Amino acid sequence: MKRLLLFNIASFIMAAAISGCGRGITSTAAVSPNILWAANGYELTPAGVQIGADRKSIAQAGTMAITPDGKTVLVLSTGWVKTGGSHGITVIDAMADTITSYLSLSPYESFYGMAVTSTFSGFNIFVPGIQNQKGYVLDISMNAGRKMSFQKAIPLSSYYSATLAKTLMPTPAGIAISGNTLLTANNVGYNSGTQYPGETVSIIDLSTMSQTYTVTVGQYPWAIAVTPDGKNAYVTNRGSGTVSVISLAGAPTVTATIPVQTGPAAIASSADGTKIYVANTLSDSVSVINTKTNIVADTITLAAYAGAPTVGGSPDGLAFSNDGKWLYVALAADNSIAVIDTASNQVIGRIPTAWYPADIAVDPVNDHIFAVNTEGIGHGPWMPALIASNTWDILDFAHYDWYVHSSVSDITKPAVSQLSIYTAQVLKNDFVNPEHAPVPANVKAAWSNITHVVYILRENKTYDMEFGDLGPSANGEPIPCPYYAPGSLSARTPELGCSGSGIGFTTPNTHAMARQFALDTNFYLDVETSIQGHPLAIDGFLSDYLQRIWSINTDYGGANRADDSTDPIATLPSNSLFQELYNAGITFSDFGESLITLRPISIQNNNLLPETVMPGYNATWANLFSDTQRAAYFVSTFNSMVQTNSFPQFVYLTLGDDHYPPGDYSDNDYATAMIVDAISHSPYWKNTVIFIDEDDPQVGIDHIDQKRSFAIVISPYVKHGYISNEHYTFTSILKTIELIFNLPPMTQYDDTALPMYDMFQSTPDLTPFTALPETWSTILSPTTGG
């Protein structure tokens, strides 16, 4: 069924229509590095001027503000703490669209939130600060010449949580100012190093620069809007799905708690204070609160098309046009800005941005729209010269500040006619109009024979890191070897004996499987790290919360956040693949995955997830068992299943030893081959497909793109010896699995994903795969790491 964007003005639909066919389902051309790609294979055609398009000027950013005179844009970066320069404020000349200065916030980390006030001599900028799991508000001054200087770190007071019966130290996110009153939404709290849900707002008197009150609100408070008269503050509680109303008259008190939809995040007040708008990031909607009654008077859907899943756009930023007639909503996952007519509360169009617009602001003088795009214009190639000179250590996190570089879009307010053109482009970029082609008859015939799906998730490789040795004919570029040393492994380099290019010499089975079956050379992982990659591989989408906090996670270079990926606040309300399988009555099993994001609560509570794991495996998956031990356990279990005819219809396995060189690469390579060998020599082979990919690119060495990886599809019903150049992603695999099992989509991402049509054939080739011997011992590799 053809999708239509949900507009209330028919002429917009007509103007947005684009003629032409969908993307082809086969490709023989080389991979192009020139197209700007975003997550899910979406294309980028950002409107306006892109500041930071050099992919190096603005470190990972997620919050912005504009000075009251409209001359300066301020961007808060919250990337890797170990780079020494990724937590700070970038200053942009809003008229010239140029970066003029930068202020590091070291030794503080920062997070979401920023507020700016005018002073006699310039401006004061307030941002959240975190140091040693203690919360602060950082006060920074900017003079008339736009030079910034650090003034003071205002400490937040600890508080007693009656819910937890513990005293917590809050750490802030959103900040709002009214007169001499500053408020912080304290997103989380700490007690003896343990992280807990935040539940307070701190109120600071700016005349004394000290905290005067603590107010208890809902869980994980995020952002604050104060009504123009200064009488009330409205606070979004991401964890509770509510908005708390705080009266600021006298001693602050909560006067109302308003239920909204899932994932309330950004919040804004209308100029007259009669309406509060709330962006519900996990519901693709905006709630409109009547401030007189404090009830939700309207809910505006942001769905990109009729029948779209309720998760897909990630609305996470709000700003009004200067006349208040339009409300702009940043749709991070959609790479666009939705435009709402505030008179009708209807979406009237969309504006394309760069990748992941995480916040927006409007120039109060010229009415320009500024959007900070966390992932910028994409990543592009990265083949550092330091590799060739053997002076770079792949395990050194200090080199990771290149990894996420942002951009800022400066967009002139569009006329209605231009808005319709922009809208058409967004639909095209996101495969809404035109859609991908339906399942071809020969592919449908192939899938009708597949009753068992195996998904093997491995760790941390780009395409060139695994297959660069295949050369240009397979879209590869050889990587000098050893690219993993010196540094911590420098003394062992001769012992490891690496010669030639890349890791091909340690992965003969992976290469053999790619040669015998179908290899995609243009598979994009669209994440940076494992706490994103594992959920995305099964959920098909990531919450805006998880996208924002991963880089300050203690596992990835931060000093404060705990492992948020296991926290319900970082999960999705939509079903995971496991839940969809369960709902459809399809049997499944999980070998080794332990993330709570992959274990739907309804399944956990009823003990319905059929775990098949090595004893103790989930708790210690990185160290106690090698991949070949895990594979041996699977093969033993599988052989028993063959005897009892009880092999589940879906099996998920994680094999993570390909983190490290080169013995563990070899161990992972042989383990993968053991599994494929066992299945392909069994009675189930004729009805099985196996998908193999990596969970994240991490260091991202690749001559096309830092996030390009590979996927191998193995089955009698895939084209043998086939190289695909189609732009596939995690969601392409999920979409293919959903079509094979006739499952509904989980989010907009898998609904619009390109299925792996070109990999399949209707005539089977039943030749099994025979594993090649393991060539390296794991004794030679490191035994610790992440």
Side-chain angles (χ1 to χ4, degrees):
M1 179 182 295
K2 179 59 71 176
R3 304 185 183 103
L4 295 177
L5 188 70
L6 299 179
F7 287 153
N8 70 318
I9 302 175
S11 61
F12 273 69
I13 299 176
M14 296 299 294
I18 301 177
S19 61
C21 300
R23 267 186 169 180
I25 61 171
T26 62
S27 175
T28 56
V31 174
S32 170
N34 300 317
I35 298 174
L36 299 181
W37 300 105
N40 206 43
Y42 289 173
E43 294 185 22
L44 296 174
T45 56
V49 176
Q50 303 307 307
I51 307 158
D54 59 358
R55 295 182 172 130
K56 64 181 181 181
S57 297
I58 304 174
Q60 180 175 337
T63 309
M64 69 186 314
I66 296 179
T67 54
D69 63 0
K71 293 182 179 180
T72 304
V73 175
L74 304 166
V75 178
L76 178 64
S77 293
T78 57
W80 292 99
V81 68
K82 290 187 178 179
T83 63
S86 57
H87 285 249
I89 300 173
T90 297
V91 177
I92 296 171
D93 184 324
M95 305 302 292
D97 288 331
T98 57
I99 296 171
T100 60
S101 64
Y102 174 82
L103 177 70
S104 172
L105 298 178
S106 180
Y108 299 94
E109 291 184 15
S110 195
F111 194 30
Y112 172 86
M114 181 183 289
V116 183
T117 61
S118 296
T119 66
F120 179 76
S121 58
F123 306 94
N124 269 20
I125 306 162
F126 297 93
V127 295
I130 314 169
Q131 185 184 34
N132 299 323
Q133 297 183 339
K134 295 181 179 180
Y136 301 86
V137 174
L138 307 182
D139 175 20
I140 295 143
S141 69
M142 175 184 284
N143 64 21
R146 311 291 151 159
K147 181 179 179 180
M148 291 184 294
S149 58
F150 182 84
Q151 297 298 307
K152 181 180 179 63
I154 307 168
L156 300 185
S157 304
S158 61
Y159 69 96
Y160 181 77
S161 169
T163 305
L164 299 170
K166 295 179 185 295
T167 298
L168 300 182
M169 172 56 66
T171 61
I175 292 175
I177 294 175
S178 177
N180 276 331
T181 300
L182 182 148
L183 302 91
T184 67
N186 299 323
N187 189 241
V188 296
Y190 292 94
N191 177 282
S192 301
T194 301
Q195 180 177 308
Y196 296 95
E199 55 186 17
T200 64
V201 167
S202 294
I203 297 179
I204 293 171
D205 184 341
L206 292 178
S207 63
T208 62
M209 291 293 186
S210 61
Q211 183 171 337
T212 53
Y213 296 99
T214 297
V215 181
T216 300
V217 290
Q219 284 203 331
Y220 293 100
W222 183 255
I224 305 173
V226 180
T227 52
D229 60 11
K231 292 181 178 180
N232 293 288
Y234 288 74
V235 184
T236 53
N237 304 304
R238 292 189 78 144
S240 305
T242 61
V243 172
S244 296
V245 185
I246 302 175
S247 171
L248 299 178
T253 57
V254 173
T255 58
T257 300
I258 308 166
V260 289
Q261 294 195 327
T262 309
I267 189 167
S269 172
S270 62
D272 62 6
T274 62
K275 298 177 182 178
I276 294 290
Y277 293 82
V278 180
N280 302 307
T281 144
L282 294 177
S283 305
D284 278 5
S285 67
V286 171
S287 297
V288 185
I289 296 172
N290 182 319
T291 57
K292 183 177 181 179
T293 61
N294 279 335
I295 64 171
V296 174
D298 201 357
T299 300
I300 305 168
T301 178
L302 300 170
Y305 51 89
T310 55
V311 173
S314 292
D316 61 355
L318 298 172
F320 289 95
S321 60
N322 286 342
D323 60 11
K325 293 181 179 180
W326 285 2
L327 174 66
Y328 302 113
V329 185
L331 295 172
D334 201 41
N335 312 310
S336 71
I337 297 169
V339 181
I340 294 173
D341 181 336
T342 56
S344 63
N345 283 346
Q346 296 293 318
V347 176
I348 59 172
R350 298 186 181 217
I351 303 170
T353 65
W355 187 350
Y356 213 86
D359 200 8
I360 52 177
V362 171
D363 169 8
V365 176
N366 298 301
D367 221 12
H368 279 213
I369 310 160
F370 287 87
V372 58
N373 309 293
T374 298
E375 300 276 354
I377 60 167
H379 297 269
W382 195 60
M383 296 283 282
L386 290 174
I387 302 174
S389 62
N390 290 340
T391 60
W392 187 75
D393 181 358
I394 201 171
L395 302 179
D396 181 1
F397 275 53
H399 286 90
Y400 274 29
D401 77 325
W402 58 266
Y403 209 81
V404 178
H405 278 112
S406 304
S407 72
V408 172
S409 300
D410 177 356
I411 305 167
T412 302
K413 181 182 178 181
V416 170
S417 58
Q418 179 63 51
L419 184 59
S420 68
I421 295 171
Y422 279 155
T423 300
Q425 188 63 57
V426 172
L427 296 180
K428 182 176 182 292
N429 291 348
D430 295 357
F431 312 124
V432 174
N433 184 18
E435 299 177 78
H436 293 306
V439 184
N442 67 314
V443 176
K444 187 177 291 187
W447 289 350
S448 68
N449 294 287
I450 296 174
T451 56
H452 296 271
V453 174
V454 177
Y455 191 167
I456 301 174
L457 188 69
R458 310 198 315 179
E459 295 281 327
N460 301 4
K461 293 291 171 292
T462 61
Y463 183 83
D464 280 341
M465 291 167 71
E466 180 75 49
F467 289 117
D469 59 316
L470 297 184
S473 63
N475 292 308
E477 179 73 24
I479 294 175
C481 185
Y483 64 81
Y484 44 77
S488 60
L489 302 179
S490 57
R492 308 174 73 176
T493 301
E495 173 190 335
L496 300 179
C498 179
S499 62
S501 301
I503 64 173
F505 74 105
T506 62
T507 58
N509 282 289
T510 305
H511 280 64
M513 287 183 282
R515 285 192 296 268
Q516 182 173 340
F517 300 102
L519 169 68
D520 182 54
T521 70
N522 201 26
F523 190 87
Y524 281 72
L525 300 178
D526 296 336
V527 295
E528 288 77 32
T529 58
S530 293
I531 66 169
Q532 301 162 289
H534 282 250
L536 186 60
I538 287 295
D539 292 342
F541 199 82
L542 294 176
S543 70
D544 173 69
Y545 194 89
L546 182 56
Q547 287 281 45
R548 289 178 182 273
I549 58 85
W550 73 264
S551 65
I552 59 171
N553 186 281
T554 50
D555 288 346
Y556 295 99
N560 291 282
R561 303 293 293 219
D563 193 351
D564 294 84
S565 64
T566 63
D567 197 307
I569 188 65
T571 63
L572 300 172
S574 53
N575 291 337
S576 77
L577 183 62
F578 287 142
Q579 182 73 63
E580 294 290 3
L581 292 167
Y582 174 73
N583 292 347
I586 293 171
T587 58
F588 58 94
S589 190
D590 165 28
F591 285 77
E593 188 60 81
S594 61
L595 289 184
I596 194 172
T597 50
L598 308 189
R599 312 276 186 87
I601 298 300
S602 61
I603 289 181
Q604 293 182 71
N605 290 346
N606 293 288
N607 298 314
L608 297 176
L609 183 59
E611 292 288 352
T612 309
V613 295
M614 297 177 69
Y617 175 76
N618 281 343
T620 55
W621 77 262
N623 296 315
L624 287 189
F625 300 106
S626 70
D627 278 351
T628 50
Q629 288 174 309
R630 301 166 195 159
Y633 183 81
F634 170 81
V635 171
S636 174
T637 304
F638 174 73
N639 289 336
S640 298
M641 291 173 174
V642 171
Q643 295 299 316
T644 58
N645 193 28
S646 59
F647 188 42
Q649 291 165 274
F650 178 77
V651 171
Y652 186 66
L653 303 101
T654 57
L655 298 175
D657 273 354
D658 54 334
H659 264 287
Y660 313 113
D664 284 343
Y665 296 157
S666 180
D667 183 71
N668 172 268
D669 176 76
Y670 186 59
T672 307
M674 290 169 64
I675 294 167
V676 175
D677 185 310
I679 294 172
S680 68
H681 285 88
S682 79
Y684 288 107
W685 173 233
K686 64 182 182 296
N687 303 116
T688 298
V689 62
I690 303 169
F691 296 95
I692 301 172
D693 65 7
E694 307 287 303
D695 80 312
D696 67 79
Q698 233 162 68
V699 291
I701 303 170
D702 192 88
H703 81 288
I704 296 292
D705 193 281
Q706 297 164 4
K707 295 191 177 185
R708 183 179 70 123
S709 189
F710 64 89
I712 303 173
V713 187
I714 297 172
S715 174
Y717 289 94
V718 300
K719 298 174 183 177
H720 284 42
Y722 178 67
I723 293 178
S724 171
N725 301 314
E726 286 286 358
H727 186 120
Y728 291 135
T729 68
F730 282 127
T731 46
S732 296
I733 290 180
L734 292 174
K735 181 69 171 182
T736 303
I737 294 171
E738 288 167 354
L739 290 171
I740 289 172
F741 286 138
N742 193 29
L743 300 174
M746 298 176 287
T747 74
Q748 183 180 313
Y749 268 18
D750 54 309
D751 194 25
T752 57
L754 176 63
M756 305 177 89
Y757 294 149
D758 74 314
M759 313 284 273
F760 290 86
Q761 62 185 9
S762 57
T763 302
D765 180 342
L766 293 170
T767 306
F769 176 78
T770 300
L772 301 172
E774 183 175 7
T775 56
W776 288 74
S777 168
T778 57
I779 291 175
L780 296 179
S781 356
T783 57
T784 60

